[in-house]
Amino acid sequence: DAGVTQSPTHLIKTRGQQVTLRCSPKSGHDTVSWYQQALGQGPQFIFQYYEEEERQRGNFPDRFSGHQFPNYSSELNVNALLLGDSALYLCASRIGLTPSMGEQYFGPGTRLTVT
Amino acid sequence: GIQVEQSPPDLILQEGANSTLRCNFSDSVNNLQWFHQNPWGQLINLFYIPSGTKQNGRLSATTVATERYSLLYISSSQTTDSGVYFCAVVGAGGTSYGKLTFGQGTILTVHP
């Protein structure tokens, strides 16, 4: 049973550039969420995708956008990178949208460094 | 939105000791999960426990939803238990719908 996978593992970008991170959910899962974890902090919710639509969004600017594909995989795009975007980006998956619908599982993360 | 507080922020133990980590939350929840984050950043699921008590080996957890807290117990700690422990909840209110809100974590260090 494949777990949540993310790519790439590490990424170094320059201020102002754009980046795309990728996530494949756990087998059987159809809902994908993205989280940003700054050093020493707990993960912060960015947004959630279900049926290829953004269903909920956290307190992040429009520079952060996403997409979900028919096979449930997802991308996170960040435009006009700032130094403060340096963080570990985590993808999580679960089944359905109903809040009580069970556990979320996380991928290994992509560590983004903006210089 | 819902607030999650974890205590203590740091915990240092000798191998073999027992410990209790606490998670308080400010509102009703639909989900509650405990995670262990390893040094490489991977969040490992420990418990999915919106209410009640569960045990898995040396670890157990209890959530008292009516009093808005959860406890994670680690018995006979080992050096491999070191890392950051997070509590995360999905609030029952409209603004928390579907997303996990994390606490700041407890950093556990177990010395041999």
Side-chain angles (χ1 to χ4, degrees), chain A residues 1-103:
Chain A
D1 180 16
V4 181
T5 61
Q6 293 186 243
S7 64
T9 305
H10 295 87
L11 204 52
I12 300 175
K13 290 286 189 179
T14 303
R15 271 179 302 176
Q17 287 187 318
Q18 179 263 345
V19 68
T20 298
L21 311 182
R22 295 176 176 83
C23 170
S24 291
K26 182 177 169 65
S27 179
H29 287 191
D30 55 7
T31 303
V32 173
S33 300
W34 287 92
Y35 292 79
Q36 180 196 65
Q37 187 179 18
L39 200 61
Q41 305 292 319
Q44 298 289 316
F45 176 80
I46 302 175
F47 43 52
Q48 178 185 79
Y49 278 83
Y50 174 72
E51 291 186 339
E52 302 179 49
E53 291 187 15
E54 183 183 295
R55 299 293 179 151
Q56 191 177 14
R57 188 178 184 92
N59 189 25
F60 279 80
D62 292 344
R63 298 187 297 108
F64 290 77
S65 64
H67 189 77
Q68 186 179 35
F69 300 94
N71 66 352
Y72 309 122
S73 67
S74 177
E75 288 181 349
L76 164 65
N77 301 292
V78 187
N79 295 323
L81 284 166
L82 304 173
L83 294 179
D85 295 331
S86 295
L88 179 66
Y89 288 85
L90 295 162
C91 172
S93 73
R94 64 182 176 98
I95 299 171
L97 263 188
T98 309
S100 58
M101 281 287 288
E103 278 183 274

Side-chain angles (χ1 to χ4, degrees), chain B:
Chain B
I2 194 166
Q3 304 297 315
V4 181
E5 291 185 4
Q6 291 185 242
S7 60
D10 296 275
L11 190 56
I12 300 174
L13 301 173
Q14 288 295 126
E15 205 167 25
N18 302 328
S19 61
T20 301
L21 282 60
R22 187 177 180 101
C23 171
N24 292 332
F25 40 95
S26 61
D27 207 342
S28 300
V29 298
N30 284 319
N31 288 349
L32 188 145
Q33 291 186 240
W34 283 97
F35 296 94
H36 176 210
Q37 190 166 42
N38 67 22
W40 299 272
Q42 174 81 56
L43 283 168
I44 299 163
N45 289 38
L46 297 177
F47 293 101
Y48 167 65
I49 186 167
S51 64
T53 297
K54 291 185 177 180
Q55 180 156 7
N56 184 5
R58 297 182 296 104
L59 273 60
S60 63
T62 295
T63 297
V64 184
T66 53
E67 297 187 20
R68 298 180 184 171
Y69 74 89
S70 183
L71 302 173
L72 176 68
Y73 306 97
I74 304 174
S75 64
S76 304
S77 58
Q78 301 174 358
T79 56
T80 52
D81 295 331
S82 296
V84 185
Y85 289 79
F86 285 105
C87 167
V89 304
V90 176
T95 59
S96 299
Y97 176 83
K99 72 176 186 182
L100 280 170
T101 298
F102 284 76
Q104 288 294 92
T106 292
I107 302 173
L108 175 63
T109 304
V110 181
H111 291 302

